Amino acid sequence: MINFTNIKHGNDLLNYLLTRQDYTTLEELKTQLGLSRRGTFYVLKRVNEELNDSKLDIIMNLAGVGYFIPEETKKELLNRYSETQPVTEQFTKHQRCQLIAWDLINHKSLSLSDLTNRFQISKHTAISDLKSVRERLESHGLDIIQQPKGKHISGSEISQRNWVLEALNDRDSILYSQIDINPSRLIAINTEIHKLEKITGNYFSDDALSTLDDFILWFLERIKRPENQLPDSPLRTTNVDSMSINWSIKFLSDNNIHNFSESYFLGRIINTSQFYRVNRADGLIQTIFPISREIIDRFNTVSGANVSPEKLELTLSTHLLSTFYRSKFMIPYHHPNLEQITEGFRELFSFTKYAIRPFEKFINGHLSDDEIALIALYFGGELRAIESRRGKHVDVLVVCSSGIGTSYILQQQLIQHYPNIDFSQPLSVFQYKNQDLSNIKLIISTIELNVPVHIPIVRVSPLPNKKDWETIEKAFINGHLTDNHFNEASVNSLLDIISNYARIENFDGLTDALRGYLNQRAKLPLKKTPTTGPTSLQKLLPSSHITYADDELDNWKNVVQQALKPLLTEHLIEQRYVDRIIRLTVVNGPYMVLGNGIMLAHGTPNDGVNDLGMSLLLLQHPVTIENKDHADKRTIQIVIGLAPLDQTSHLSALSQLMQKIQDDHWVKQIKAASSVAEISNLLS
């Protein structure tokens, strides 16, 4: 027996693998350790991190065969860690904070000495950790209070459960090592959830299903204590999906819990989890479908993109179903990359925030920026897909459990880190199994892939940490997947220079090292010199493109013609582009009117656009758009003419303009302007 780690189940894993003379499947490891699939992956990952830190080869997984410990590692473990004293596990600050909150929620009283002894940290570090935990709990309506026997948690039972659920949504959360897994109960829970899926026709993504399994396992143990149960409600009527509630009542009854409030709670949790397939005949999803289409139309209108409603409608509706329940039951979603998306993908976020208003009207509330950021990734993925469908070559496949959700977060981060490497759209396992792999150089997956292929596979978290990025970078270097920032001539030139002054012992190794170094240097950000020049909006919308009309124009068609006149004069567009906009408005009604008297007049690049351009017309006398075929009438006072050259080149300027348009005070100011100079000043 060896004692290498203090990670829960870690030594059990190593000792089991040490006794095996052949490969071990994941199912065998799950059974041996008594853990869920996710819990087993967690232990494997943490043990491999410690092996790597100890300069030992990690536990390997031979695709399609199983797990094994390399022979050299076996020898080292048996020689150095047999019958040794337990080692202290090293936790990151984030992990320590999660464990502190977990202990408090599970009714442990804590003192500073408890924390310093458990984590082997100083008193000052323990105080800092407690401060961080208090700040994180505050966002859930929870607090830490001091009592005679130590520190305890204060706050509602629902809030404490919501914190646990949110923490478990992180696939790499350390909490998975804290849940005592009973394999037979876990299988029973999973079986019952699958029954619910068949009843409702709504199927959960693999990640959501795994999270539900572990959360419900913890939840059932928690409510065994009567003080943890919610007060039983005498009401038996609810407007929540009745099938989920009925399922919850029976499920809890089978577990000797007879409390309608708890059944109602579990029904809420079930419905807020992410689906990958929904029952299209369900009344609620039928209501959401047209809302999704309207959202996509608004996104296209404001962004000038050409996202196909047919391609995105079902995926977006599937996502919005769980979003609806999260908003209805006030279960917060916290996006782990919110700042990255709002800053790095500002235009995408801005357009999405405008586009989702029909859904906000439906739920009679506002979505948080975290929820908007998640929806924005769907549009970002579809814009990327449009480029891919134009015949763009793909070198790297991105694979996840369902092809939706957090996989888009991973894909967008990969694109941001490696903008010149061609990544696929996120693929589900089914899509991956049916994919042509002939020209693929690397596969990056958020899940275990048991389909044997000759292509290297890198498995990372949807939110890669530092080690994940190092693994990805190493895979790119080994696969000669550079970011196209340098050419092979640079490598050859350096090799020639080195060979003139030194003997090269390992030519291939040095070549790969130079490629990796040059690729890394190429990705270093260039130092930007401060600029006081015009913004992209000012460049695209100079004063020569702004018109103020104090004369009364007789109809809206003339208004559109007048608004786009500066673009016609400079030959940025042709007359047929103006005619196309007028025709689209006659046929489809005033769908280009954004609201608040503002119209975004635009067509597609193929309708007669010669070059990128934007114009603006302010009317002193508003005009109404109306025609006999459409009952909808809209009054307009500001017309923005947009001539997009492609899907993206106009986004920065349009995003800046959209931020202004959504400011009611700014709109009032520009409507009160009486000259081109005033309008231009307001735009700058």
Side-chain angles (χ1 to χ4, degrees):
M1 295 288 288
I2 61 106
N3 196 342
F4 170 75
T5 176
N6 201 40
I7 297 169
K8 193 172 183 179
H9 304 294
N11 288 324
D12 294 336
L13 169 71
L14 289 170
N15 282 301
Y16 178 68
L17 289 173
L18 285 169
T19 63
R20 297 297 298 256
Q21 300 302 314
D22 55 0
Y23 302 99
T24 305
T25 66
L26 180 65
E27 292 301 317
E28 289 171 333
L29 288 178
K30 285 170 57 181
T31 302
Q32 184 68 26
L33 300 177
L35 296 175
S36 66
R37 181 186 181 89
R38 183 176 292 194
T40 305
F41 278 140
Y42 174 84
V43 176
L44 278 164
K45 178 179 179 181
R46 292 300 311 281
V47 170
N48 274 342
E49 287 174 353
E50 290 203 2
L51 289 170
N52 189 60
D53 291 341
S54 299
K55 309 301 182 186
L56 298 174
D57 291 334
I58 63 173
I59 298 168
M60 306 294 289
N61 177 27
L62 192 61
V65 179
Y67 293 87
F68 68 96
I69 298 179
E71 285 302 319
E72 286 300 316
T73 301
K74 278 187 177 182
K75 292 177 183 177
E76 285 296 311
L77 288 174
L78 291 170
N79 290 336
R80 292 166 51 189
Y81 296 99
S82 293
E83 301 178 355
T84 58
Q85 294 298 313
V87 295
T88 302
E89 184 177 3
Q90 297 299 310
F91 298 99
T92 66
K93 182 178 180 66
H94 175 71
Q95 289 171 335
R96 294 197 305 270
C97 290
Q98 277 208 330
L99 290 172
I100 292 169
W102 171 261
D103 286 347
L104 291 169
I105 286 172
N106 286 284
H107 305 297
K108 279 189 179 179
S109 62
L110 298 176
S111 65
L112 286 178
S113 60
D114 292 332
L115 301 182
T116 56
N117 291 333
R118 179 180 182 184
F119 300 123
Q120 295 296 297
I121 55 177
S122 67
K123 184 177 179 180
H124 175 77
T125 301
I127 292 172
S128 174
D129 284 352
L130 281 170
K131 181 180 178 182
S132 297
V133 173
R134 178 174 278 109
E135 290 172 352
R136 295 175 189 183
L137 291 176
E138 279 178 358
S139 65
H140 289 77
L142 301 171
D143 195 9
I144 301 174
I145 57 174
Q146 181 67 46
Q147 292 184 345
K149 293 185 178 181
K151 299 182 188 300
H152 292 261
I153 197 163
S154 171
S156 74
E157 173 68 17
I158 295 288
S159 297
Q160 294 179 56
R161 295 178 188 180
N162 287 346
W163 181 91
V164 173
L165 180 63
E166 183 184 316
L168 291 177
N169 277 322
D170 176 6
R171 183 172 61 85
D172 293 321
S173 172
I174 196 168
L175 298 193
Y176 283 101
S177 68
Q178 305 299 303
I179 298 175
D180 290 324
I181 301 296
N182 181 320
S184 61
R185 293 198 72 190
L186 198 63
I187 292 171
I189 290 170
N190 199 266
T191 300
E192 291 301 316
I193 293 176
H194 285 316
K195 288 180 182 178
L196 175 64
E197 290 177 323
K198 291 179 180 178
I199 292 169
T200 62
N202 297 329
Y203 291 81
F204 301 103
S205 69
D206 286 353
D207 281 345
L209 187 61
S210 182
T211 299
L212 282 173
D213 285 343
D214 288 274
F215 177 80
I216 292 174
L217 189 64
W218 170 81
F219 165 69
L220 289 175
E221 285 299 311
R222 184 173 181 82
I223 60 177
K224 281 182 178 178
R225 298 173 62 170
E227 65 268 25
N228 289 337
Q229 288 191 21
L230 304 174
D232 192 8
S233 170
L235 298 176
R236 292 295 183 270
T237 58
T238 175
N239 56 1
V240 182
D241 176 18
S242 59
M243 289 185 285
S244 296
I245 292 298
N246 291 334
W247 174 87
S248 298
I249 292 171
K250 183 180 184 307
F251 175 77
L252 290 182
S253 177
D254 291 343
N255 284 274
N256 300 313
I257 303 294
H258 306 281
N259 183 320
F260 180 75
S261 295
E262 293 294 0
S263 300
Y264 183 74
F265 167 80
L266 185 56
R268 295 193 307 177
I269 294 302
I270 288 288
N271 281 311
T272 57
S273 301
Q274 186 63 50
F275 301 104
Y276 84 89
R277 193 172 81 206
V278 293
N279 179 6
R280 301 185 69 168
D282 179 77
L284 179 56
I285 201 69
Q286 284 290 316
T287 304
I288 291 177
F289 269 126
I291 295 173
S292 294
R293 184 170 285 264
E294 187 178 354
I295 290 171
I296 297 167
D297 288 342
R298 286 170 64 90
F299 182 87
N300 284 337
T301 297
V302 74
S303 68
N306 192 26
V307 173
S308 168
E310 288 73 21
K311 292 186 178 296
L312 188 58
E313 182 182 53
L314 179 58
T315 302
L316 183 58
S317 297
T318 300
H319 174 77
L320 290 179
L321 181 62
S322 52
T323 307
F324 167 81
Y325 284 115
R326 282 197 297 272
S327 63
K328 183 178 181 62
F329 302 128
M330 293 178 289
I331 294 178
Y333 167 78
H334 294 288
H335 199 298
N337 290 74
L338 176 63
E339 185 176 348
Q340 179 184 342
I341 292 172
T342 54
E343 293 300 319
F345 302 92
R346 188 173 299 173
E347 299 90 354
L348 187 63
F349 182 84
S350 176
F351 298 146
T352 305
K353 193 168 187 175
Y354 166 80
I356 52 88
R357 284 182 181 172
F359 183 75
E360 291 183 321
K361 184 177 180 182
F362 172 61
I363 64 174
N364 194 27
H366 291 288
L367 293 182
S368 67
D369 283 355
D370 300 84
E371 291 280 10
I372 294 170
L374 191 53
I375 296 170
L377 292 174
Y378 285 88
F379 285 108
E382 188 55 34
L383 288 173
R384 176 80 172 173
I386 291 172
E387 295 300 318
S388 297
R389 287 193 288 269
R390 290 176 177 171
K392 194 169 184 180
H393 174 69
V394 172
D395 287 321
V396 181
L397 289 188
V398 180
V399 184
C400 66
S401 61
S402 59
I404 60 175
T406 53
S407 55
Y408 278 107
I409 301 174
L410 172 61
Q411 185 217 30
Q412 294 300 320
Q413 290 181 95
L414 288 169
I415 292 169
Q416 190 174 42
H417 276 74
Y418 302 95
N420 292 320
I421 290 180
D422 299 319
F423 298 96
S424 75
Q425 287 301 293
L427 304 176
S428 67
V429 175
F430 174 79
Q431 290 171 313
Y432 161 70
K433 289 179 179 177
N434 293 276
Q435 185 78 12
D436 178 13
L437 303 177
S438 56
N439 295 312
I440 302 301
K441 299 177 181 177
L442 179 69
I443 298 169
I444 298 178
S445 177
T446 63
I447 58 174
E448 191 76 10
L449 297 176
N450 294 319
V451 181
V453 292
H454 64 282
I455 303 165
I457 299 176
V458 174
R459 183 172 178 268
V460 298
S461 167
L463 306 170
N465 56 31
K466 182 180 178 182
K467 286 195 174 183
D468 285 335
W469 285 119
E470 290 173 355
T471 303
I472 292 169
E473 177 66 26
K474 186 176 180 180
F476 283 162
I477 293 172
N478 291 341
H480 307 303
L481 275 163
T482 66
D483 228 6
N484 297 328
H485 290 305
F486 68 92
N487 55 45
E488 199 67 18
S490 302
V491 175
N492 294 333
S493 297
L494 286 171
L495 287 169
D496 289 341
I497 294 171
I498 295 170
S499 63
N500 286 334
Y501 296 94
R503 186 175 66 181
I504 301 175
E505 296 286 350
N506 184 345
F507 190 86
D508 291 339
L510 179 59
T511 302
D512 286 343
L514 288 173
R515 284 197 187 102
Y517 173 75
L518 290 174
N519 191 37
Q520 279 293 94
R521 293 291 299 171
K523 286 197 286 287
L524 292 175
L526 296 174
K527 292 183 178 179
K528 296 181 179 179
T529 54
T531 176
T532 57
T535 65
S536 51
L537 176 59
Q538 290 171 305
K539 289 178 182 177
L540 205 56
L541 191 54
S543 57
S544 60
H545 288 192
I546 299 171
T547 308
Y548 173 70
D550 52 6
D551 295 332
E552 190 169 352
L553 299 177
D554 53 358
N555 64 67
W556 65 267
K557 295 179 183 178
N558 288 341
V559 169
V560 172
Q561 184 73 44
Q562 182 80 355
L564 293 166
K565 187 177 179 180
L567 304 183
L568 278 168
T569 301
E570 294 186 16
H571 305 291
L572 300 178
I573 60 173
E574 300 171 18
Q575 179 58 42
R576 66 186 178 93
Y577 185 71
V578 183
D579 297 338
R580 176 63 173 165
I581 293 171
I582 293 172
R583 176 63 180 163
L584 287 170
T585 307
V586 170
V587 173
N588 301 311
Y591 73 96
M592 297 186 201
V593 178
L594 306 179
N596 215 353
I598 302 170
M599 177 181 184
L600 180 62
H602 70 284
T604 67
N606 295 329
D607 291 332
V609 176
N610 298 323
D611 205 350
L612 179 65
M614 186 181 284
S615 62
L616 186 147
L617 168 66
L618 173 63
L619 302 170
Q620 185 177 2
H621 306 284
V623 173
T624 300
I625 298 179
E626 58 181 327
N627 62 64
K628 61 182 180 179
D629 295 324
H630 293 274
D632 192 14
K633 299 179 181 180
R634 299 286 187 92
T635 299
I636 55 173
Q637 190 172 358
I638 300 172
V639 180
I640 301 161
L642 175 65
L645 194 59
D646 50 38
Q647 294 284 342
T648 58
S649 56
H650 60 284
L651 293 184
S652 178
L654 190 54
S655 173
Q656 293 170 27
L657 185 59
M658 278 300 301
Q659 290 175 28
K660 295 177 182 296
I661 287 173
Q662 294 182 74
D663 181 347
D664 290 338
H665 178 67
W666 183 87
V667 173
K668 287 179 181 177
Q669 284 184 306
I670 203 164
K671 285 182 177 179
S674 57
S675 69
V676 169
E678 283 187 61
I679 299 169
S680 185
N681 285 335
L682 287 167
L683 287 169
S684 63

